[in-house]
Amino acid sequence: MFGIYLKRELGRRKKAALVIALGLALGIALVITVNSVSAGMTQAQDKVLQSLYGLGTDMTVTKARTAPTSNSSGQPRFEFDAKSNDDDTEQSSDRVMTQGGQALKSSLVTKVADQKGVAAAVGALTLNVTKVDGSFTQGKAQSSTSGSGSGQGGPGGGQGSGSTAAPQVQGGGASFDVNSYSVAGVDVTNQDLGPLAGSKITSGTAFTSAQTNAKVAVVSKSYAKENKYKVGKTLKISGTKYKIIGIATPDSSDSTTDVYLPLKQAQTLADAKNQVTTIYVKATDSQQIDTVKATIQKNISGTTVTTSADLAETVSGSLSTASNLATSVGKWLSIAVLAAAFLVAALLTSSAVSRRVREFGTLKALGWPSRRVTRQVVGESIVNGLLGGALGIALGLGAAYAVTAISPKLTAELGSTGGGGGMGGGPGGGGPGQQSASNTMEIALSAPVSATTIALAVGLAVAGGLIAGAMGGWRASRMRPADALRSVS
């Protein structure tokens, strides 16, 4: 009886049911769209952080670089011979400097790994290599003769036809190219954590655990393409040749490191024996990262511990702006629209009940109790809510698919904060002490829809139907059989 009556009443009031369903559908579709876009923003930010930190890294340990002393400016210095017999001779020089924070002792890696809550810790050394090559060109001394006359000439007192000016050097100079690239020293015994963890080897092979001090290198795909490097060729840094054994392609975005070397080789290049610039840390429990951070800071003084959450705060650009809009304006807008949809559905249902005075009064006169009338109204409202939910899910999925298909490009700029204690301790990431360093990446936005979002939409549809039904049912339960008689004309 309930189902038959429900079907008949919904069929009679198709227009009203459609209006209620559409109102709920718009609110639910907006909720799905905002949630899916927010999830896409989170994924995009994770890609940015993974490209700098490496997959699996929960935090990094660094040390702020101290200000240079009066005797040392900390700037690269190049010296060349410029002898007279070196005309047009090519000269080249590499300047290798540690990049990021102040160097840490390698023994700190073990100390960090022994802290409570730390699953693994790996040290890395980040370097910047500035290569200057070119040649000097010697100038030529030339003299010129000017004027004419019959006066006395030179010292011999002979007759001269002019005077000779002092010789002048013409031509000459120097022409040098400057090329700068980043190098990361990798602990080859644990490559699942550290600067190389965010890339995969797409050509050649990765480092082996036996190559702790081998003269081999892995180069990024972009750097290899730019310099026409291939597996098997050699790369020369500061007079040392390294055999390229692999090409690394980042999983998510442009690589921030150009060349990867075994950690000991990088330490030799930089004259930084048993030193690292960054310690990559993986926590045993991702929910206890703040606790692990506090433990490391307490037990290892003078270091800066940076978590992924800290690093995310330094992300700027259109990605950050869009993310803030999605999390603040977008969510509040969706809540407002959804609340308005619920209110409209409740008011329309209540209005529809008011127009059914004769019907409900007659049913009560025939013996229907108030709870049965209320159940009937609530049942109709829930069906309207489910219809609106189905339509809203379809609209929301369509909007999310459109965003993914268009894939708008967002830029993410990750730079260090000032004061020498900045975030972004990853290789090339503008680590502590680099106040002007930054990385700009371009991320394609997607809008993934999870099962949780669909479940939320269904829950909202049912909630909307219950709210509308509760209001309409309360109105219907208060009607008396006498009301039906008074409404008869």
Side-chain angles (χ1 to χ4, degrees), residues 33-49:
T33 303
V34 171
N35 271 274
S36 59
V37 171
S38 297
M41 299 289 183
T42 302
Q43 286 186 0
Q45 287 186 330
D46 289 342
K47 289 180 180 180
V48 174
L49 301 183

Side-chain angles (χ1 to χ4, degrees), residues 24 346 377-379 381-383 385 459-473:
L24 292 173
V377 175
V378 171
S381 297
I382 290 177
V383 172
L460 290 174
V462 174
L466 286 174
I467 292 173
M471 190 169 180

Side-chain angles (χ1 to χ4, degrees), residues 139-394:
K140 304 296 184 181
Q142 296 182 358
S143 60
S144 60
T145 302
S146 61
S148 62
S150 58
Q152 296 293 323
Q159 198 76 15
S161 60
S163 61
T164 303
Q168 293 183 345
V169 178
Q170 296 184 0
S175 177
F176 285 86
D177 292 328
V178 180
N179 180 33
S180 181
Y181 57 94
S182 59
V183 177
V186 179
D187 186 347
V188 297
T189 61
N190 187 356
Q191 299 177 58
D192 293 332
L193 193 63
L196 195 53
S199 300
K200 61 179 64 176
I201 304 300
T202 52
S203 179
T205 61
F207 297 116
T208 64
S209 56
Q211 294 175 322
T212 54
N213 200 21
K215 294 180 179 179
V216 292
V218 171
V219 298
S220 69
K221 182 180 178 180
S222 58
Y223 189 72
K225 183 179 180 181
E226 179 184 352
N227 295 276
K228 299 180 180 179
Y229 284 132
K230 293 183 179 179
V231 174
K233 286 193 172 184
T234 57
L235 170 70
K236 189 175 181 180
I237 305 176
S238 194
T240 304
K241 292 183 178 180
Y242 297 92
K243 182 181 179 181
I244 299 175
I245 62 172
I247 306 295
T249 302
D251 292 332
S252 56
S253 60
D254 294 336
S255 175
T256 55
T257 301
D258 299 313
V259 180
Y260 302 90
L261 299 177
L263 180 57
K264 287 187 177 180
Q265 281 294 319
Q267 290 170 338
T268 302
L269 272 178
D271 194 20
K273 185 178 180 181
N274 296 325
Q275 292 182 341
V276 296
T277 52
T278 307
I279 301 175
Y280 294 80
V281 181
K282 181 177 178 60
T284 54
D285 185 359
S286 60
Q287 303 300 319
Q288 300 296 323
I289 291 178
D290 290 338
T291 303
V292 177
K293 175 182 177 179
T295 301
I296 295 174
Q297 288 179 324
K298 178 182 177 181
N299 298 333
I300 305 176
S301 60
T303 58
T304 301
V305 183
T306 308
T307 66
S308 298
D310 297 330
L311 195 61
E313 293 178 357
T314 68
V315 176
S316 60
S318 60
L319 173 60
S320 177
T321 303
S323 180
N324 291 335
L325 287 174
T327 54
S328 56
V329 179
K331 286 188 176 181
W332 283 112
L333 178 62
S334 62
I335 291 173
V337 172
L338 191 63
F342 284 177
L343 180 61
V344 170
L347 292 176
L348 289 176
T349 302
S350 179
S351 176
V353 168
S354 299
R355 292 194 295 271
R356 298 167 68 182
V357 172
R358 192 186 317 177
E359 174 186 340
F360 289 132
T362 303
L363 290 174
K364 282 191 173 185
L366 293 175
W368 277 38
S370 294
R371 65 176 180 274
R372 188 174 180 181
V373 174
T374 302
R375 186 179 64 180
Q376 190 70 39
V377 175
V378 171
E380 294 174 11
S381 297
I382 290 177
V383 172
N384 287 334
L386 291 176
L387 290 174
L391 185 58
I393 290 173

Side-chain angles (χ1 to χ4, degrees), residues 81-89 137-138 140:
D81 293 329
K83 299 178 181 178
S84 59
N85 58 355
D86 284 341
D87 190 22
D88 296 327
T89 299
T137 302
Q138 186 176 5
K140 304 296 184 181

Side-chain angles (χ1 to χ4, degrees), residues 445-466:
L445 178 65
S446 61
V449 181
S450 63
T452 304
T453 303
I454 298 298
L456 174 64
V458 174
L460 290 174
V462 174
L466 286 174

